Short mmCIF file of all heavy atoms in Angstrom, two decimals:
data_model
loop_
_atom_site.label_atom_id
_atom_site.label_comp_id
_atom_site.label_asym_id
_atom_site.label_seq_id
_atom_site.Cartn_x
_atom_site.Cartn_y
_atom_site.Cartn_z
N TYR A 105 -20.64 14.48 -53.51
CA TYR A 105 -20.37 13.37 -52.61
C TYR A 105 -19.26 12.47 -53.12
O TYR A 105 -19.25 12.14 -54.30
CB TYR A 105 -21.66 12.55 -52.43
CG TYR A 105 -21.60 11.58 -51.30
CD1 TYR A 105 -21.69 12.03 -49.98
CD2 TYR A 105 -21.44 10.22 -51.53
CE1 TYR A 105 -21.64 11.13 -48.93
CE2 TYR A 105 -21.39 9.33 -50.47
CZ TYR A 105 -21.49 9.79 -49.18
OH TYR A 105 -21.43 8.91 -48.13
N PRO A 106 -18.35 12.00 -52.29
CA PRO A 106 -18.16 12.40 -50.90
C PRO A 106 -17.35 13.69 -50.78
O PRO A 106 -16.36 13.87 -51.48
CB PRO A 106 -17.35 11.23 -50.34
CG PRO A 106 -16.54 10.75 -51.51
CD PRO A 106 -17.38 10.99 -52.73
N GLY A 107 -17.79 14.58 -49.89
CA GLY A 107 -17.04 15.81 -49.66
C GLY A 107 -15.65 15.49 -49.13
O GLY A 107 -15.44 14.44 -48.54
N ARG A 108 -14.71 16.41 -49.35
CA ARG A 108 -13.33 16.14 -48.93
C ARG A 108 -13.01 16.69 -47.54
O ARG A 108 -12.14 16.18 -46.86
CB ARG A 108 -12.36 16.72 -49.96
CG ARG A 108 -12.51 16.02 -51.30
CD ARG A 108 -11.64 16.68 -52.36
NE ARG A 108 -10.24 16.69 -51.96
CZ ARG A 108 -9.37 15.74 -52.29
NH1 ARG A 108 -9.77 14.74 -53.04
NH2 ARG A 108 -8.12 15.80 -51.89
N PHE A 109 -13.65 17.75 -47.16
CA PHE A 109 -13.49 18.31 -45.82
C PHE A 109 -12.02 18.51 -45.45
O PHE A 109 -11.54 17.98 -44.45
CB PHE A 109 -14.20 17.42 -44.78
CG PHE A 109 -15.66 17.25 -45.07
CD1 PHE A 109 -16.15 16.09 -45.62
CD2 PHE A 109 -16.55 18.29 -44.81
CE1 PHE A 109 -17.50 15.94 -45.91
CE2 PHE A 109 -17.90 18.15 -45.09
CZ PHE A 109 -18.38 16.98 -45.64
N GLU A 110 -11.35 19.26 -46.31
CA GLU A 110 -9.90 19.39 -46.12
C GLU A 110 -9.52 20.29 -44.96
O GLU A 110 -8.40 20.20 -44.47
CB GLU A 110 -9.26 19.90 -47.41
CG GLU A 110 -9.04 18.75 -48.36
CD GLU A 110 -8.48 19.18 -49.70
OE1 GLU A 110 -8.31 20.39 -49.92
OE2 GLU A 110 -8.22 18.29 -50.51
N PHE A 111 -10.42 21.19 -44.57
CA PHE A 111 -10.03 22.17 -43.55
C PHE A 111 -11.25 22.54 -42.71
O PHE A 111 -12.33 22.78 -43.24
CB PHE A 111 -9.47 23.42 -44.24
CG PHE A 111 -8.80 24.38 -43.31
CD1 PHE A 111 -7.47 24.20 -42.96
CD2 PHE A 111 -9.51 25.45 -42.77
CE1 PHE A 111 -6.85 25.10 -42.09
CE2 PHE A 111 -8.88 26.33 -41.90
CZ PHE A 111 -7.56 26.16 -41.57
N GLY A 112 -11.05 22.59 -41.41
CA GLY A 112 -12.15 22.99 -40.52
C GLY A 112 -11.61 23.30 -39.14
O GLY A 112 -10.41 23.55 -38.96
N GLY A 113 -12.49 23.25 -38.15
CA GLY A 113 -12.13 23.64 -36.79
C GLY A 113 -10.89 22.92 -36.26
O GLY A 113 -10.01 23.55 -35.67
N GLY A 114 -10.81 21.62 -36.49
CA GLY A 114 -9.66 20.85 -36.00
C GLY A 114 -8.35 21.36 -36.59
O GLY A 114 -7.32 21.41 -35.90
N HIS A 115 -8.41 21.77 -37.85
CA HIS A 115 -7.20 22.28 -38.50
C HIS A 115 -6.83 23.67 -37.99
O HIS A 115 -5.65 24.00 -37.88
CB HIS A 115 -7.39 22.29 -40.02
CG HIS A 115 -7.71 20.93 -40.57
ND1 HIS A 115 -9.00 20.47 -40.65
CD2 HIS A 115 -6.91 19.93 -41.00
CE1 HIS A 115 -8.99 19.24 -41.13
NE2 HIS A 115 -7.74 18.88 -41.34
N VAL A 116 -7.85 24.47 -37.64
CA VAL A 116 -7.56 25.78 -37.06
C VAL A 116 -6.87 25.57 -35.70
O VAL A 116 -5.87 26.25 -35.38
CB VAL A 116 -8.84 26.63 -36.89
CG1 VAL A 116 -8.53 27.95 -36.20
CG2 VAL A 116 -9.50 26.88 -38.24
N ILE A 117 -7.37 24.62 -34.93
CA ILE A 117 -6.77 24.34 -33.61
C ILE A 117 -5.33 23.85 -33.80
O ILE A 117 -4.41 24.27 -33.08
CB ILE A 117 -7.63 23.33 -32.82
CG1 ILE A 117 -9.00 23.97 -32.49
CG2 ILE A 117 -6.92 22.88 -31.55
CD1 ILE A 117 -10.01 23.03 -31.86
N GLU A 118 -5.12 22.99 -34.80
CA GLU A 118 -3.76 22.51 -35.08
C GLU A 118 -2.83 23.69 -35.40
O GLU A 118 -1.73 23.81 -34.86
CB GLU A 118 -3.78 21.53 -36.26
CG GLU A 118 -2.39 21.18 -36.78
CD GLU A 118 -2.38 20.21 -37.98
OE1 GLU A 118 -3.22 19.29 -38.02
OE2 GLU A 118 -1.50 20.37 -38.84
N ARG A 119 -3.30 24.58 -36.27
CA ARG A 119 -2.47 25.73 -36.68
C ARG A 119 -2.21 26.67 -35.50
O ARG A 119 -1.12 27.22 -35.37
CB ARG A 119 -3.13 26.48 -37.83
CG ARG A 119 -3.09 25.71 -39.16
CD ARG A 119 -3.86 26.45 -40.25
NE ARG A 119 -3.44 27.84 -40.42
CZ ARG A 119 -2.35 28.21 -41.07
NH1 ARG A 119 -1.60 27.32 -41.66
NH2 ARG A 119 -2.02 29.48 -41.15
N LEU A 120 -3.22 26.83 -34.67
CA LEU A 120 -3.08 27.70 -33.50
C LEU A 120 -1.97 27.18 -32.58
O LEU A 120 -1.05 27.91 -32.20
CB LEU A 120 -4.43 27.75 -32.78
CG LEU A 120 -4.62 28.74 -31.65
CD1 LEU A 120 -4.51 30.17 -32.19
CD2 LEU A 120 -5.99 28.55 -31.01
N VAL A 121 -2.05 25.88 -32.25
CA VAL A 121 -1.07 25.29 -31.34
C VAL A 121 0.32 25.29 -31.98
O VAL A 121 1.34 25.44 -31.29
CB VAL A 121 -1.51 23.86 -30.92
CG1 VAL A 121 -0.39 23.13 -30.19
CG2 VAL A 121 -2.75 23.94 -30.04
N ALA A 122 0.36 25.17 -33.31
CA ALA A 122 1.65 25.16 -34.00
C ALA A 122 2.26 26.57 -34.09
O ALA A 122 3.34 26.74 -34.67
CB ALA A 122 1.49 24.55 -35.39
N GLY A 123 1.57 27.57 -33.56
CA GLY A 123 2.13 28.92 -33.53
C GLY A 123 1.98 29.68 -34.84
O GLY A 123 2.61 30.73 -35.03
N LYS A 124 1.14 29.17 -35.75
CA LYS A 124 0.97 29.82 -37.06
C LYS A 124 0.14 31.10 -36.91
O LYS A 124 -0.63 31.25 -35.97
CB LYS A 124 0.24 28.86 -38.00
CG LYS A 124 0.94 27.53 -38.19
CD LYS A 124 1.70 27.52 -39.50
CE LYS A 124 2.65 26.34 -39.63
NZ LYS A 124 1.95 25.07 -39.73
N ALA A 125 0.29 31.98 -37.90
CA ALA A 125 -0.52 33.21 -37.93
C ALA A 125 -1.89 32.87 -38.51
O ALA A 125 -1.99 32.22 -39.55
CB ALA A 125 0.16 34.26 -38.77
N LEU A 126 -2.94 33.29 -37.81
CA LEU A 126 -4.32 33.03 -38.25
C LEU A 126 -5.02 34.37 -38.44
O LEU A 126 -4.62 35.38 -37.88
CB LEU A 126 -5.07 32.21 -37.18
CG LEU A 126 -4.41 30.94 -36.65
CD1 LEU A 126 -5.28 30.31 -35.59
CD2 LEU A 126 -4.16 29.96 -37.75
N GLN A 127 -6.13 34.32 -39.21
CA GLN A 127 -6.85 35.57 -39.42
C GLN A 127 -8.20 35.54 -38.71
O GLN A 127 -9.00 34.62 -38.88
CB GLN A 127 -7.07 35.81 -40.90
CG GLN A 127 -7.45 37.27 -41.15
CD GLN A 127 -7.58 37.59 -42.63
OE1 GLN A 127 -8.66 37.61 -43.16
NE2 GLN A 127 -6.46 37.85 -43.26
N LEU A 128 -8.42 36.59 -37.93
CA LEU A 128 -9.71 36.76 -37.26
C LEU A 128 -10.54 37.77 -38.04
O LEU A 128 -10.04 38.82 -38.43
CB LEU A 128 -9.49 37.29 -35.84
CG LEU A 128 -10.76 37.82 -35.13
CD1 LEU A 128 -11.67 36.67 -34.72
CD2 LEU A 128 -10.39 38.67 -33.92
N PHE A 129 -11.80 37.43 -38.27
CA PHE A 129 -12.74 38.39 -38.85
C PHE A 129 -13.97 38.35 -37.97
O PHE A 129 -14.52 37.27 -37.71
CB PHE A 129 -13.09 38.00 -40.29
CG PHE A 129 -14.12 38.89 -40.92
CD1 PHE A 129 -13.93 40.25 -40.97
CD2 PHE A 129 -15.30 38.36 -41.43
CE1 PHE A 129 -14.89 41.08 -41.54
CE2 PHE A 129 -16.27 39.18 -42.00
CZ PHE A 129 -16.06 40.55 -42.06
N ALA A 130 -14.39 39.51 -37.45
CA ALA A 130 -15.55 39.52 -36.56
C ALA A 130 -16.44 40.71 -36.87
O ALA A 130 -15.97 41.76 -37.31
CB ALA A 130 -15.09 39.58 -35.10
#
Side-chain angles (χ1 to χ4, degrees):
Chain A
Y105 193 74
R108 296 174 58 93
F109 302 103
E110 278 177 357
F111 191 85
H115 302 88
V116 176
I117 295 173
E118 170 181 323
R119 288 175 54 78
L120 189 64
V121 169
K124 303 259 168 68
L126 309 178
Q127 197 176 98
L128 167 73
F129 176 56

